[in-house]
Amino acid sequence: MKNIKLMSLLGITLVSSAVLAACGSNTEGSKGGSTTQELNLIETAEIPTMDSVLNTDTVGSTVMNNVMEGLYRLNLKNEPELAMAAEVPTISEDGLTYTFKIREDANWSNGEPVTANDFVFAWRRLVNPETGSQSAYMMEDVIKNATEINKGELKPEELGVKEIDDKTLEIQLVAELPYFKDLLSLSMFLPQNEDYVTEKGNKYASSSDNALYNGPFVLTKWDGTGLSWSYEKNDTYWDAETVKLDEINVDVVKETSTAINLYDAGEIDSMKLTGEYVQTKQGDPDLKSAPTSSVFYFKYNQERNGQPTPLANENIRKAISMAFDKEAYAKTILQNGSLPANGLVPSGIVKNPSTDEDFRDENGDLLIYDKEAAKEYMKKGLAELGVDSLKLELLSDDSENAKKSSEYMQGQLMQNLPGLEINIRSVPFKVRIDVNSRQDYDIQMAGWGADFADPINFLELFETTNSNNKASISIPEYDALLEKVNTTDLNDLDKRWSDMIEAEKLLLDQAAIAPIYQRYNAILEKPYVKNIGKHLVGPEYSFKWASIEK
């Protein structure tokens, strides 16, 4: 997360419906006959990790959002509110130094107090190149010396964050950031207890029993690999009286058909719908549609096992990018209200600071479906490679919808591009994350949801040295534009905007990636599940305020 939010939070549409499957019950508990509030939830993928400095995905960040807490937390209005921070920070006159007081009543789940050092330790660990965090870039050009540390030029101890005393934390920024607090609820800015992490060593965060929590809930019954876990109310949480749910049980269900049967049987209270299942529920008052900031795209790996791949050829990338009918895909495969995407930055998250025009509308359609043009690019690319045909692998998750999506794309690409053979490799979500990190793939359908409401959050993913790149994308002109966006342009918001417009055009003109769709969620939800926090940016949802009212 780099220099940030200078377009602020204009254009955000708040999501009003749940984004996961929840099943609820009010049952008699054992605490003196009191009523127990319990939810039974469905997720579509496993938790890849519970180490906040290693997390890269939505599932992990959502779980962490409910069992851990940073200096701020997003509330039900999608606004950052004080969390581990006891009060609004003191800010130096130049806007570069923030001093936070940590809550006196903030404790870890083992009873130890949350201290300023917990933030210092975690943030230094994040930017330390030996950690190998793919989220380290989020502090670059934000926290003083983070960029240099991540490059190995300075030591982690030189990061611009220090403990003044047990409950006083000082943070030094690279540049004045009016919306810095919006960043501080994200998973990579969470604290970690140094003694505990050191004691656990390689076992840290490998299971629910090998982690500490300072949020509304504690994680239980997670063995690090399984398809189920639970949350239990955290009695040591500073605001425990606000938390109404006693327990949340989660099972991973990858087949929509199975989930919808559970919903119809009254065992699930809220779930996402995809494909033909949406049509079966048309007219149902429980059916809702909710926009998201997530854009999905083909990511082309240009280097595999140290060698250039055929996807390093620009014409091959353009051919594949223009060879599939994304509107038909959204209507026939997804069927959940998702929209075809012809650009990387999604619609509805941010507007031009001067004209109030949405970024997506202003930059228009940049990479469209055109099968005749795709065939010509394919011919040129094959000739440049000196081959008559290509065989490529499409990496996919193993969920029901992911498999249908991959099969659709396989059919489109092989039908529209003579000489191209696509083989599908379907793996569990956690495995795909690992395969991506090792760049052991050809093509994959990846996605990104906004951490904060600014185009740079999407554009920076494909800067040459960005730890999320993992495709060997390198466009010097693109990198130069992003450098300006994050430095000199900070004093000229109109110039910053125009440079981001130009950067997106440059990225897609070379078909470094291929936008496919902007996700909307079709959701079935019972009326008695109340106050699940739904977030368009950052973690998807919060259960701190949730309850069941039957």
Side-chain angles (χ1 to χ4, degrees):
M1 211 170 278
K2 295 189 177 180
N3 294 334
I4 311 315
K5 300 197 89 166
L6 295 176
M7 302 306 131
S8 95
L9 301 178
L10 291 174
I12 288 183
T13 302
L14 301 183
V15 182
S16 61
S17 50
V19 293
L20 49 81
C23 170
S25 62
N26 269 346
T27 58
E28 289 299 314
S30 59
K31 300 179 181 180
S34 62
T35 299
T36 299
Q37 291 250 332
E38 183 176 323
L39 286 174
N40 296 310
L41 310 178
I42 286 179
E43 262 291 5
T44 57
E46 305 90 334
I47 303 172
T49 181
M50 278 303 295
D51 189 337
S52 59
V53 307
L54 298 179
N55 178 61
T56 61
D57 73 289
T58 301
V59 175
S61 63
T62 296
V63 176
M64 291 176 198
N65 180 55
N66 286 290
V67 299
M68 298 184 72
E69 192 164 87
L71 294 168
Y72 286 87
R73 160 179 297 282
L74 292 180
N75 62 23
L76 291 176
K77 296 180 179 180
N78 283 272
E79 300 167 342
E81 66 177 23
L82 294 172
M84 287 293 98
E87 58 192 40
V88 175
T90 301
I91 305 174
S92 62
E93 187 174 342
D94 63 5
L96 300 182
T97 302
Y98 282 62
T99 303
F100 282 94
K101 291 291 185 180
I102 309 300
R103 290 185 181 276
E104 292 292 337
D105 54 354
N107 294 300
W108 292 102
S109 51
N110 65 354
E112 294 184 7
V114 176
T115 68
N117 183 67
D118 296 331
F119 290 90
V120 173
F121 170 73
W123 294 10
R124 286 176 177 174
R125 186 166 173 256
L126 177 78
V127 299
N128 188 339
E130 293 182 3
T131 303
S133 172
Q134 293 186 42
S135 298
Y137 78 96
M138 298 291 233
M139 285 190 182
E140 292 184 3
D141 298 324
V142 176
I143 308 296
K144 183 180 178 180
N145 293 337
T147 301
E148 293 78 7
I149 295 168
N150 199 30
K151 291 179 179 178
E153 298 171 358
L154 294 176
K155 296 180 180 179
E157 292 74 21
E158 297 178 81
L159 184 67
V161 56
K162 67 179 180 179
E163 175 190 27
I164 303 300
D165 57 45
D166 282 352
K167 291 291 184 177
T168 308
L169 176 70
E170 181 183 281
I171 304 169
Q172 292 180 295
L173 305 185
V174 174
E176 185 175 2
L177 299 174
Y179 303 98
F180 177 55
K181 70 178 182 180
D182 294 282
L183 310 181
L184 296 176
S185 63
L186 300 175
S187 61
M188 67 290 303
F189 287 89
L190 291 169
Q192 293 182 348
N193 182 293
E194 181 174 6
D195 289 341
Y196 187 88
V197 174
T198 303
E199 176 189 347
K200 289 294 182 179
N202 292 335
K203 290 185 178 180
Y204 174 67
S206 61
S207 69
S208 55
D209 292 334
N210 286 295
L212 285 182
Y213 313 101
N214 69 325
F217 300 90
V218 297
L219 187 66
T220 63
K221 303 174 186 175
W222 179 64
D223 65 6
T225 60
L227 299 178
S228 63
W229 59 87
S230 295
Y231 304 88
E232 293 180 6
K233 182 175 178 178
N234 182 6
D235 292 333
T236 68
Y237 180 54
W238 68 273
D239 197 22
E241 64 181 20
T242 297
V243 182
K244 296 181 175 62
L245 295 178
D246 295 295
E247 187 172 1
I248 307 168
N249 302 306
V250 182
D251 288 300
V252 175
V253 177
K254 300 183 179 183
E255 293 75 27
T256 304
S257 56
T258 301
I260 203 168
N261 287 337
L262 293 171
Y263 185 90
D264 288 342
E267 298 182 36
I268 293 177
D269 299 316
S270 178
M271 63 167 287
K272 295 178 184 176
L273 281 178
T274 57
E276 68 272 16
Y277 301 106
V278 179
Q279 300 305 315
T280 67
K281 292 296 182 179
Q282 291 299 318
D284 190 323
D286 290 354
L287 182 63
K288 304 175 182 180
S289 180
T292 79
S293 65
S294 295
V295 171
F296 289 77
Y297 45 84
F298 278 146
K299 188 159 72 168
Y300 303 125
N301 188 16
Q302 298 187 35
E303 183 178 300
R304 190 173 187 181
N305 299 323
Q307 298 296 321
T309 74
L311 295 163
N313 183 282
E314 182 176 323
N315 284 316
I316 296 296
R317 297 196 304 270
K318 286 182 176 179
I320 296 173
S321 300
M322 303 177 77
F324 56 91
D325 188 337
K326 58 188 75 178
E327 183 171 356
Y329 168 72
K331 289 181 177 179
T332 64
I333 302 299
L334 300 178
Q335 298 189 49
N336 58 4
S338 293
L339 303 175
N342 294 314
L344 171 61
V345 178
S347 174
I349 70 161
V350 63
K351 296 180 180 180
N352 186 312
S354 295
T355 67
D356 209 36
E357 184 174 12
D358 186 88
F359 185 96
R360 182 74 275 125
D361 292 337
E362 183 170 338
N363 221 14
D365 295 331
L366 301 179
L367 200 54
I368 64 173
Y369 170 54
D370 186 337
K371 63 181 180 180
E372 295 306 319
K375 289 178 181 178
E376 291 302 313
Y377 283 123
M378 191 68 179
K379 289 180 183 178
K380 292 179 182 178
L382 291 175
E384 290 167 354
L385 294 174
V387 299
D388 297 323
S389 61
L390 279 180
K391 181 184 293 186
L392 296 172
E393 176 185 87
L394 175 58
L395 179 65
S396 168
D397 291 338
D398 63 351
S399 67
E400 180 180 10
N401 191 58
K403 290 178 180 178
K404 289 181 179 179
S405 294
S406 297
E407 290 167 359
Y408 173 87
M409 292 301 180
Q410 179 189 47
Q412 286 277 293
L413 296 178
M414 292 178 63
Q415 176 182 333
N416 293 333
L417 296 175
L420 178 63
E421 180 180 342
I422 296 289
N423 294 317
I424 298 172
R425 179 184 176 192
S426 297
V427 299
F429 176 68
K430 186 174 182 178
V431 174
R432 182 171 69 81
I433 295 296
D434 178 63
V435 170
N436 173 75
S437 69
R438 293 185 284 108
Q439 283 192 223
D440 188 22
Y441 71 95
D442 291 329
I443 307 172
Q444 66 171 302
M445 187 186 293
W448 188 261
D451 290 314
F452 52 92
D454 191 286
I456 194 62
N457 187 221
F458 290 85
L459 298 172
E460 66 187 351
L461 297 173
F462 306 108
E463 186 268 335
T464 298
T465 61
N466 189 283
S467 52
N468 269 295
N469 188 320
K470 298 304 179 184
S472 295
I473 298 168
S474 183
I475 307 172
E477 301 90 342
Y478 183 78
D479 294 349
L481 281 171
L482 296 194
E483 177 65 21
K484 290 172 60 180
V485 167
N486 287 312
T487 54
T488 58
D489 285 353
L490 292 172
N491 297 317
D492 186 344
L493 297 188
D494 289 330
K495 184 63 167 62
R496 183 175 187 268
W497 183 267
S498 64
D499 280 344
M500 290 191 291
I501 289 281
E502 183 61 28
E504 188 191 45
K505 289 178 179 177
L506 183 60
L507 183 73
L508 297 189
D509 181 63
Q510 296 192 24
I513 61 165
I516 301 172
Y517 71 99
Q518 180 176 348
R519 182 170 66 189
Y520 273 56
N521 286 325
I523 299 159
L524 285 174
E525 183 174 280
K526 304 291 185 181
Y528 50 77
V529 178
K530 305 294 184 181
N531 291 328
I532 293 179
K534 281 76 70 172
H535 311 303
L536 192 61
V537 299
E540 274 198 309
Y541 38 79
S542 300
F543 298 122
K544 175 177 178 176
W545 303 275
S547 64
I548 298 169
E549 299 179 11
K550 289 187 176 181

